[in-house]
Amino acid sequence: GAVVSQHPSRVICKSGTSVKIECRSLDFQATTMFWYRQFPKQSLMLMATSNEGSKATYEQGVEKDKFLINHASLTLSTLTVTSAHPEDSSFYICSATQDRPGSIQYFGAGTRLSVL
Amino acid sequence: AQSVTQLGSHVSVSEGALVLLRCNYSSSVPPYLFWYVQYPNQGLQLLLKYTSAATLVKGINGFEAEFKKSETSFHLTKPSAHMSDAAEYFCAVGGSARQLTFGSGTQLTVLP
């Protein structure tokens, strides 16, 4: 099946710093990538939908200036958590899909962000 | 609008016993339905999907699910649980198989 690589798998940073998370589709072109946030023992909450070459669409309640998303190519999307604070600590997961009927989302392995 | 309800946040079964994880959905359009499995500190792995073909869908690792429109259900089953099946399971619904809405998840524990 298709492979989505997410990097880093774990990051610890100081409060006030910015962190970039990369999501790459390794063997297919992803017209759309999704970014999710998952709190402990909870489900995935969609943060934003990212289409190649256009601005991301953010879900209600997600600060677009806080969570910067760039989808510059068909194989790479990045999520930058700007001026991170302890409440931003969470598990972030990306997924990628192609623009065709019946295509499914392929998920990355996730990034555990801990803000001190 | 779409929504998913997973009944039972925790399910425990003995090794070798039947696994039944429940999922009910709500969708204003014919749904695409999915079951994903998540192991600790990992992303989601697709178990199976329903996309309006056969109502009984077979997936990986011996899992299967049956789409029942009259009951708006898509329950996940496996005849005989294995220790390696212990994980978190998520049911998801998508109107176009692109944007997904996830259920709250069910933690499956397999007892020796």
Side-chain angles (χ1 to χ4, degrees):
Chain A
V3 178
V4 173
S5 173
Q6 190 172 338
H7 179 80
S9 59
R10 187 179 187 95
V11 58
I12 301 172
C13 69
K14 293 182 178 181
S15 184
T17 61
S18 294
V19 174
K20 179 184 284 188
I21 303 170
E22 292 187 349
C23 182
R24 294 180 184 272
S25 57
L26 297 185
D27 52 1
F28 68 102
Q29 293 187 325
T31 48
T32 303
M33 289 185 172
F34 300 94
W35 287 96
Y36 296 87
R37 184 173 181 174
Q38 185 180 31
F39 291 103
K41 306 295 183 183
Q42 295 188 27
S43 187
L44 281 72
M45 299 300 295
L46 180 66
M47 298 174 66
T49 302
S50 168
N51 291 297
E52 186 266 338
S54 62
K55 291 184 178 180
T57 301
Y58 291 81
E59 295 300 300
Q60 190 173 8
V62 177
E63 300 176 59
K64 60 180 181 181
D65 295 329
K66 173 77 170 174
F67 299 100
L68 300 179
I69 292 173
N70 183 281
H71 193 162
S73 76
L74 286 172
T75 59
L76 174 64
S77 176
T78 60
L79 168 67
T80 301
V81 183
T82 62
S83 186
H85 291 281
E87 58 266 29
D88 299 324
S89 299
S90 191
F91 194 56
Y92 293 88
I93 305 176
C94 72
S95 71
T97 188
Q98 295 173 292
D99 186 16
R100 57 178 180 171
S103 62
I104 67 171
Q105 292 187 29
Y106 297 95
F107 285 82
T111 298
R112 173 74 59 192
L113 172 62
S114 299
V115 184
L116 305 178
Chain B
Q2 298 156 338
S3 66
V4 177
T5 302
Q6 289 183 242
L7 297 176
S9 58
H10 290 83
V11 170
S12 292
V13 299
S14 298
E15 191 173 18
L18 171 71
V19 175
L20 171 61
L21 304 183
R22 300 179 185 274
C23 173
N24 288 88
Y25 70 91
S26 172
S27 177
S28 57
V29 297
Y32 290 86
L33 293 161
F34 305 83
W35 275 100
Y36 286 89
V37 61
Q38 184 182 33
Y39 297 98
N41 294 311
Q42 294 187 27
L44 275 66
Q45 181 182 2
L46 180 67
L47 281 177
L48 49 81
K49 64 177 180 178
Y50 167 77
T51 56
S52 76
T55 56
L56 182 62
V57 181
K58 294 187 182 297
I60 63 172
N61 301 339
F63 285 94
E64 63 181 37
E66 185 173 8
F67 172 68
K68 291 187 177 181
K69 184 178 180 180
S70 61
E71 299 177 8
T72 60
S73 69
F74 191 57
H75 302 330
L76 181 71
T77 61
K78 181 174 180 177
S80 177
H82 192 272
M83 297 297 289
S84 61
D85 294 327
E88 185 88 19
Y89 292 81
F90 291 97
C91 181
V93 61
S96 63
R98 296 190 56 194
Q99 191 169 82
L100 297 176
T101 300
F102 286 88
S104 55
T106 298
Q107 180 68 47
L108 175 65
T109 300
V110 182
L111 305 171

